[in-house]
Amino acid sequence: MTALVKEASDRRPTDERLLRATLVRRLPGRPELGAVVGAVAVFVFFAVTAESFLRAPSLSTVLYASSIFGIMAVPVALLMIGGEFDLSTGVMVTSSALISSMFSYQMTANVWVGVGVSLVATLAIGFFNGFMLVRTKLPSFIITLATFLMLIGLNLGFTKLISGTVSTKSISDMEGFDSAKAVFASRLSFGDVDVQITVLWWFALVGVATWLLLRTRAGNWIFAAGGGADAARAVGVPVGRTKTGLYMAVALCAWISGQHLLFSYDVVQSGEGVGNELLYIIAAVIGGCLMTGGYGSAIGSAVGAFIFGMTNKGIVYAEWDPEWFKFFLGAMLLLATLLNAWVRKRAEATG
């Protein structure tokens, strides 16, 4: 009898919690693994070659530079995981700032009214991108390239029409400016080090996006939509709504970045932002997002943005020609793409 009980217990399925892979086995499957390795290498490199790199004020500047692009890299990464691109992000940031500034100035309203109008208008741009993608079935490259060109024209055209120049008028003496600046462009002191509030915005967005991807049904929808839209629809995933929501999330972060731009410098140049959309995509790709969709992480985008910030400022601290930045950026993009492909293959092999 005892032998039979023992035999039955031997055949009993092992608790699946005991079958969970160890940390070492799970690491190769993490999308951000390559970015973390690259970030450590870049940090050590500039720590050795640039004497001032490890000083607290220098690291604060690196974090600020990282946050400027990291805020946008987060939703861009989610959008890429969902299988789409947005080429209008750079100029959308400028559009958001211009709407806030010009509406407040022309309507002589409290600047918070302009900020609110800008939020609605920027979200409408994101909704337009998503709506056109779903309705027309055109590639996101074409849809957002068209939006990119239209926004460039609107930014320059309306600014010249209203202000007579390519820049907005100062709103620093208007009611609500100081409180808005405190929310979007203030500095927080930690001992002798000042940290820009954009760093906190960045960390908060990374946390929310990570929770969304890993702990919610919407996160499952994002991965499913990017992995295969037709298959996702077949199992009931609302692909259209998911992708439209992702474009609106991009617009929301563009609004945050636009308000920082406005309240940091008081005036906005209408031609700014062109080219930044590529940097957001590069940060997401370096962070582990695949160009084909269905794979990546918000944390990886943050690490990619941090690599961008370290390289951007590290070259300055090392007193090199700033033109070397483009070379490093291209090299990191290529190496990260190759490493991400290797990590994905290892993950599939061990899965």
Side-chain angles (χ1 to χ4, degrees), residues 114-322:
V115 169
V117 171
S118 175
L119 173 60
V120 174
T122 310
L123 288 175
I125 297 172
F127 177 79
F128 172 81
N129 283 337
F131 177 82
M132 292 299 293
L133 177 78
V134 173
R135 289 294 183 181
T136 66
K137 309 299 183 183
L138 290 173
S140 57
F141 177 87
I142 298 299
I143 298 292
T144 58
L145 178 60
T147 305
F148 165 81
L149 294 172
M150 289 189 290
L151 289 179
I152 290 177
L154 289 173
N155 289 351
L156 290 169
F158 269 109
T159 306
K160 286 184 178 180
L161 179 65
I162 295 174
S163 303
T165 65
V166 295
S167 64
T168 61
K169 304 294 185 181
S170 173
I171 60 170
S172 59
D173 59 345
M174 295 188 64
E175 183 180 356
F177 182 88
D178 291 337
S179 59
K181 183 179 178 68
V183 172
F184 296 107
S186 61
R187 292 176 178 268
L188 305 176
S189 296
F190 297 92
D192 297 332
V193 180
D194 289 338
V195 177
Q196 284 276 3
I197 198 169
T198 51
V199 176
L200 300 185
W201 277 105
W202 178 35
F203 288 170
L205 288 170
V206 171
V208 171
T210 301
W211 170 79
L212 178 71
L213 281 176
L214 301 181
R215 300 295 182 185
T216 69
R217 180 181 297 178
N220 293 332
W221 291 347
I222 293 171
F223 281 109
D230 292 336
R233 289 190 188 94
V235 296
V237 173
V239 175
R241 281 187 292 155
T242 299
K243 294 193 175 186
T244 301
L246 289 172
Y247 275 107
M248 294 185 71
V250 171
L252 175 63
C253 291
W255 172 75
I256 295 172
S257 295
Q259 304 319 295
H260 172 71
L261 176 65
L262 171 61
F263 293 107
S264 291
Y265 302 103
D266 181 25
V267 296
V268 182
Q269 299 292 327
S270 58
E272 292 185 13
V274 177
N276 286 348
E277 61 281 345
L278 296 180
L279 299 179
Y280 306 147
I281 294 173
I282 288 171
V285 172
I286 291 176
C289 292
L290 293 182
M291 305 293 285
T292 53
Y295 189 78
S297 73
I299 294 176
S301 75
V303 178
F306 185 52
I307 291 176
F308 172 89
M310 286 192 293
T311 306
N312 189 17
K313 298 304 178 183
I315 288 175
V316 175
Y317 296 140
E319 300 180 353
W320 297 348
D321 187 336

